[in-house]
């Protein structure tokens, strides 16, 4: 329900539901290494925080999400690609352009491989990379990414 509320543009209502789902998942498996479900809940919650303007909080959650998703699903899984591109986007919003570029490029590579070049997540990642380059003052690189799409 939390993800649906976020998709409807209702992040304030989505946040407590996503936090509750995350805590329930963690309580159901105490002492067990956190799996991809926890990583996905963290990713969804990070997106809600980003929607609400808590970019620093979102960055921390994306970092934690990637740390769980990568070992659980492997570095080339589409969920990892989505998390990495989202992380790169918020790093750019924080002015950490070089770090954001690295995450966006790697996430885009994963998505192109796992989901295909015309998938919505892949095209969104490309747009995020263009935006990062524009904010970074690198219009030549932004144009190169546009041409490659």
């Amino acid at each position: 329900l939390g993800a649906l509320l976020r998709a409807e543009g209702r992040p304030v209502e989505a946040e407590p539901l996503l936090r509750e789902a995350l805590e329930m998942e963690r309580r159901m498996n105490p002492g067990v290494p956190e799996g991809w479900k926890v990583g996905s809940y963290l990713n969804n919650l990070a997106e809600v925080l980003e929607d609400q303007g808590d970019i620093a909080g979102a960055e921390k959650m994306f970092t934690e999400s990637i740390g769980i998703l990568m070992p659980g699903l492997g570095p080339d899984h589409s969920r990892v690609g989505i998390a990495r591109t989202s992380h790169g986007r918020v790093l750019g919003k924080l002015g950490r352009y070089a770090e954001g570029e690295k995450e966006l490029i790697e996430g885009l590579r994963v998505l192109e491989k796992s989901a295909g070049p015309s998938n919505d997540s892949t095209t969104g990642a490309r747009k995020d990379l263009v935006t990062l380059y524009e904010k970074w003052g690198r219009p030549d690189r932004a144009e190169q990414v546009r041409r490659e799409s």
Side-chain angles (χ1 to χ4, degrees), residues 85-103:
T85 58
S86 298
H87 187 225
R89 182 180 61 243
V90 299
L91 287 168
K93 289 180 178 181
L94 291 169
R96 294 163 56 185
Y97 300 116
E99 294 170 85
E101 176 188 40
K102 178 182 173 191
E103 285 293 275

Side-chain angles (χ1 to χ4, degrees), residues 59-76:
E59 192 276 328
K60 286 181 183 180
M61 290 246 174
F62 282 129
T63 299
E64 188 177 354
S65 172
I66 293 164
I68 292 168
L69 290 171
M70 235 198 274
L73 297 174
D76 291 329

